[in-house]
Amino acid sequence: MPWPPWSSSPRDDDRNPNASKGSSPKNSHASTSSPSNIVLNIGVVTATLALVYVYRTYLRRIPGAASIQPHFYRRRSLFGRVTRVGDGDNFRLFHTPGGRLAGWDWFPGRRVPRKREELRQRTIHIRLAGIDAPEQAHFGRPAQPFSSEALDWLRGYVLGRRVRAFIYRRDHYDRAVSTVYVRRGLLRRDVGLQMLKRGLATVYEAKSGAEFGRLEARYRRAEWWAKRQRRGIWSVTAAEFESPRDYKTRMTMLDETKLGRS
């Protein structure tokens, strides 16, 4: 019995001063540097970096051709919806990375705009690779025969539809030159190849800048077949026929002549 009697008996905590204190710095360091915690931290950092990589590589929306990273060309494809067709061989694409799996067209805030003002500066200008469609009337130049037919066909084939564009390069008009595929029924169709088969375009014949991927031989066979069947632009006589490339060359020479006279 303790003396004096009003004094309290020694507590266990008094006998063991370390009992009421927190873990010692040594124990705390040991717990944070344990193998299991190190593995956990490494896992969190790795998962975070992986998520950032997936987002930047596959889920980040690209608003225009100028925003496409150089290393994407010839390695990546772009998935999106065609919002406007302005000519027989090019159109505007609203990039929807990940498609419906990423929430596009059904998740709030993940819808393709409808109005032109909402789409301004938010679409990628796509140029179909490997083909040349008849020229529309612009810059004071007359339209080529079958230019309206090519434009109407392309609008009906891709406008409002989801397509996948395999991009090759960015041209001097700030367009992404691409081979484009669209699903029609259960099949995936090469848009440029279909135009060649219908005689609504020629194989691209510029001296430089032609892009085909690995499809040049296939494109030339399609052109040959359309020419033999006298389809579209090949239905006219040889004297009447003028390819889009020859037309642009002739118009350029006329423009230069006019400038020389002025």
Side-chain angles (χ1 to χ4, degrees):
M1 178 178 181
W3 187 262
W6 56 81
S7 65
S8 60
S9 60
R11 295 178 300 174
D12 292 341
D13 290 351
D14 294 334
R15 291 194 298 268
N16 185 8
N18 293 329
S20 61
K21 297 180 181 179
S23 301
S24 67
K26 182 177 180 181
N27 291 336
S28 176
H29 176 72
S31 63
T32 57
S33 61
S34 64
S36 59
N37 281 339
I38 291 174
V39 171
L40 177 62
N41 291 335
I42 292 175
V44 170
V45 172
T46 302
T48 301
L49 293 176
L51 288 174
V52 170
Y53 173 79
V54 169
Y55 171 77
R56 289 177 61 86
T57 306
Y58 299 104
L59 299 178
R60 181 174 63 89
R61 211 188 78 77
I62 299 174
S67 300
I68 299 175
Q69 298 295 323
H71 64 272
F72 276 21
Y73 289 108
R74 304 185 187 279
R75 297 181 181 178
R76 288 284 313 282
S77 64
L78 300 176
F79 186 76
R81 189 180 294 277
V82 178
T83 60
R84 183 169 174 262
V85 179
D87 211 342
D89 50 26
N90 62 84
F91 57 81
R92 291 281 179 173
L93 175 76
F94 188 91
H95 185 214
T96 57
R100 293 186 63 83
L101 291 177
W104 288 103
D105 292 332
W106 62 269
F107 192 78
R110 302 283 278 180
R111 296 190 180 278
V112 178
R114 301 284 184 180
K115 298 179 180 179
R116 180 172 294 187
E117 57 269 20
E118 295 175 343
L119 290 166
R120 191 174 291 114
Q121 306 298 324
R122 300 180 65 189
T123 58
I124 302 170
H125 200 177
I126 299 292
R127 171 62 161 89
L128 293 174
I131 71 166
D132 219 357
E135 293 291 309
Q136 296 284 315
H138 51 70
F139 306 123
R141 297 176 176 179
Q144 271 194 280
F146 292 95
S147 58
S148 295
E149 289 85 344
L151 176 60
D152 291 343
W153 183 88
L154 186 60
R155 279 178 177 161
Y157 206 67
V158 301
L159 185 59
R161 292 182 175 272
R162 291 187 292 269
V163 301
R164 185 169 295 281
F166 291 85
I167 55 178
Y168 301 126
R169 65 178 179 86
R170 178 181 165 194
D171 71 7
H172 56 288
Y173 293 113
D174 202 25
R175 303 175 299 188
V177 181
S178 316
T179 297
V180 177
Y181 293 89
V182 61
R183 285 204 173 276
R184 304 290 299 190
L186 298 177
L187 300 177
R188 190 178 74 161
R189 302 287 190 180
D190 178 340
V191 178
L193 182 66
Q194 296 304 313
M195 294 194 73
L196 289 169
K197 287 181 176 180
R198 288 164 173 78
L200 296 175
T202 66
V203 170
Y204 194 82
E205 296 289 3
K207 294 180 180 179
S208 63
E211 295 285 354
F212 295 95
R214 299 178 179 178
L215 299 169
E216 183 175 2
R218 190 175 184 185
Y219 277 23
R220 293 195 180 279
R221 285 196 302 271
E223 183 189 66
W224 171 84
W225 184 87
K227 189 175 183 179
R228 185 173 182 180
Q229 297 294 319
R230 303 183 64 82
R231 304 194 67 180
I233 60 176
W234 307 107
S235 61
V236 300
T237 65
E240 297 173 319
F241 176 77
E242 184 178 39
S243 71
R245 170 51 47 192
D246 291 340
Y247 169 87
K248 284 180 275 193
T249 300
R250 181 169 63 85
M251 288 295 108
T252 299
M253 293 176 64
L254 286 175
D255 291 342
E256 291 174 351
T257 302
K258 291 177 183 178
L259 286 174
R261 291 175 179 174
S262 60

